[in-house]
Amino acid sequence: MPFEDQLGEAMRRTGDSFDPQDRSALLDRSLRSGRRRLARRRAATVTGSVVALAAVGFGGAWAGGLTDGSSGGSSSGSGATAPVAAPPKPSLPDGVVVTSDQMIKNLKALLPPGKTSQETGRGTGPGDTFASPTASVVLDDGKGAAAVGIALSTVDPAGQSAAQFVTCPSKAIVDYDQCAAEVLPDGSKYMFLQGYEYPDRHEETKNWRATLLTPKGVLVDASEYNAPAEKGATVSRVNPPLTGERMKALVTAEVWKQVMAGAKVPSRERVPHDEPSAAAMQRELTASMPKGLTVEDKGGQSGYAFVVVNDGKGKSLVEINVQPGMKDVPLPEPVSTLPDGTRVGEDKRPGEKGGAGVVWWTVDSVRSTGLRVVVSAFNTGNQNSPATREAPALTMAQLRAIALDKKWAMLR
């Protein structure tokens, strides 16, 4: 499948996932396993087609909303393949008229010397129905063929999702080598992340990503690989062809601002009022940790939070999801019903992200009001990494106590 088709498919999936009408079904599927899949926002997360963030890999996600709130400078902090809440479907840039050939030409003009092949693109003119102008090529600079792509779209610049695109994710959620974020002199926000296509690195395909968000909500997102395709191609070189400086020059080029000059200002992003805020989730999950545990990393988004704790015996990832309207969702066996009508299920299973020896403990509860609280713990600080201890730092009894705490029903 051509690069831009993969991009279109991924963006459509990501965008459609966040249609409010699909929220219940999406959360039902993801929370059934005891936690929200951070892949909701492929952003998060960092690995994959150009604007399919969140996660997974990055998430949603990027999982920018799954950070501790810092967004500047280098990040050595964090998948779940991201995450990451996820950005809404990019807006159709009304007033933007650009052809696929122009997009390809613009991209090629900004690349270092070399031969290009597999040149593909999408514009916004007649016959181009995709919501975001894109371009991609395979560049061979004499050191190996590599896929390079770019996509333009618009988002609410003040929205939580916009911030997630340009915030370095936590390494508890996304595995990467380096990430740096900064605010440019014109007020634009910029992030450069050096990550991997596969969170468990079963193939050494690197994905380096540069993202620019302007004050007007124009999003310029570029990815490059050390292989001639995002997936299914043999690694052709040690690193992708463009340096960090070249990637920054690529996304900040004036031509993209000219292309998007006619884009309308995106509508304000709607915030779900039925979910607790990210700040409240992080605060209360941290406060719920038993004595003797040191919190080494934390983050979250509305309705979700995580912490990485350590009792001196190794790191342990703990996650919680709080979501209303889940009254009829099935729970893992065995299920017990408390006197107040709350149903509680418990589950112990191997980790699902490929980390060697990882175990995943979950307590999943649904109250009579339909409020679902799911708490999970792992015997590693990152599910993609090997186990760091024999069992999670919290016992099943401690997870159950957190899940049944009445405070989750009162958070805003």
Side-chain angles (χ1 to χ4, degrees):
M1 180 183 294
F3 183 96
E4 83 280 6
D5 287 343
Q6 296 175 16
L7 170 62
E9 175 86 8
M11 288 184 70
R12 280 190 292 273
R13 286 197 307 266
T14 301
D16 291 343
S17 316
F18 296 101
D19 185 326
Q21 294 178 348
D22 295 334
R23 180 180 295 274
S24 296
L26 173 63
L27 288 170
D28 181 27
R29 290 193 300 271
S30 59
L31 290 177
R32 184 169 298 168
S33 296
R35 65 183 182 81
R36 174 174 309 163
R37 292 185 185 280
L38 303 179
R40 281 180 61 189
R41 129 187 151 67
R42 179 97 162 130
T45 80
V46 167
T47 61
S49 297
V50 176
V51 195
L53 298 185
V56 172
F58 280 65
W62 302 115
L66 305 178
T67 68
D68 62 6
S70 60
S71 60
S74 298
S75 169
S76 59
S78 172
T81 44
V84 120
K89 187 173 183 178
S91 303
L92 179 66
D94 292 356
V96 175
V97 179
V98 62
T99 67
S100 57
D101 287 343
Q102 288 172 327
M103 285 296 298
I104 295 170
K105 180 180 179 181
N106 291 338
L107 173 60
K108 290 173 61 177
L110 295 166
L111 298 180
K115 296 181 180 179
T116 58
S117 60
Q118 301 184 43
E119 301 174 0
T120 55
R122 301 214 185 209
T124 60
D128 287 310
T129 58
F130 191 54
S132 178
T134 68
S136 66
V137 301
V138 172
L139 171 68
D140 192 339
D141 59 359
K143 300 178 182 179
V148 182
I150 194 163
L152 313 178
S153 58
T154 55
V155 296
D156 173 12
Q160 174 179 276
S161 298
Q164 293 170 350
F165 277 110
V166 286
T167 301
C168 290
S170 167
K171 280 192 173 179
I173 303 301
V174 179
D175 189 18
Y176 59 87
D177 291 331
Q178 294 183 13
C179 182
E182 62 179 306
V183 178
L184 304 184
D186 67 351
S188 295
K189 296 177 181 180
Y190 171 76
M191 184 187 73
F192 179 58
L193 188 145
Q194 294 171 286
Y196 295 83
E197 178 60 24
Y198 300 97
D200 61 2
R201 302 196 194 183
H202 67 273
E203 293 184 19
E204 284 297 314
T205 307
K206 294 181 179 180
N207 178 358
W208 290 4
R209 187 180 197 122
T211 306
L212 179 79
L213 175 67
T214 74
K216 293 184 178 181
V218 173
L219 190 71
V220 184
D221 199 32
S223 283
E224 60 171 339
Y225 303 84
N226 61 336
E230 173 192 354
K231 296 180 184 293
T234 302
V235 168
S236 57
R237 51 195 297 146
V238 175
N239 291 320
L242 278 67
T243 64
E245 292 77 8
R246 292 298 295 255
M247 285 291 277
K248 185 175 183 178
L250 173 60
V251 297
T252 59
E254 190 65 26
V255 65
W256 308 126
K257 297 177 183 177
Q258 295 171 359
V259 168
M260 299 296 284
K264 68 176 182 180
V265 177
S267 57
R268 184 175 298 276
E269 180 182 328
R270 289 176 293 177
V271 178
H273 296 293
D274 56 349
E275 293 181 350
S277 69
M281 290 295 299
Q282 291 180 42
R283 181 186 68 244
E284 296 304 329
L285 178 60
T286 301
S288 297
M289 292 300 100
K291 293 183 178 180
L293 296 178
T294 299
V295 175
E296 298 188 354
D297 196 4
K298 62 182 179 180
Q301 63 189 50
S302 59
Y304 169 81
F306 77 87
V307 294
V308 175
V309 297
N310 197 328
D311 56 3
K313 301 178 182 179
K315 295 181 179 181
S316 181
L317 173 66
V318 182
E319 298 179 318
I320 187 169
N321 296 273
V322 177
Q323 179 66 34
M326 306 296 285
K327 188 173 184 178
D328 298 324
V329 69
L331 300 181
E333 299 290 344
V335 177
S336 59
T337 302
L338 305 183
D340 65 358
T342 299
R343 295 183 295 124
V344 185
E346 299 184 1
D347 186 40
K348 291 184 178 182
R349 66 175 64 184
E352 65 174 7
K353 298 301 180 184
V358 173
V359 296
W360 172 9
W361 293 2
T362 296
V363 173
D364 192 345
S365 67
V366 179
R367 305 180 189 189
S368 59
T369 60
L371 181 71
R372 189 177 193 186
V373 181
V374 186
V375 186
S376 294
F378 304 82
N379 60 337
T380 180
N382 182 326
Q383 294 183 68
N384 301 302
S385 302
T388 54
R389 51 191 298 138
E390 183 176 350
L394 276 69
T395 65
M396 289 296 286
Q398 289 171 324
L399 295 177
R400 184 184 179 97
I402 295 172
L404 297 180
D405 196 316
K406 294 182 179 179
K407 68 180 178 182
W408 305 114
M410 299 181 285
L411 289 189
R412 292 295 180 268

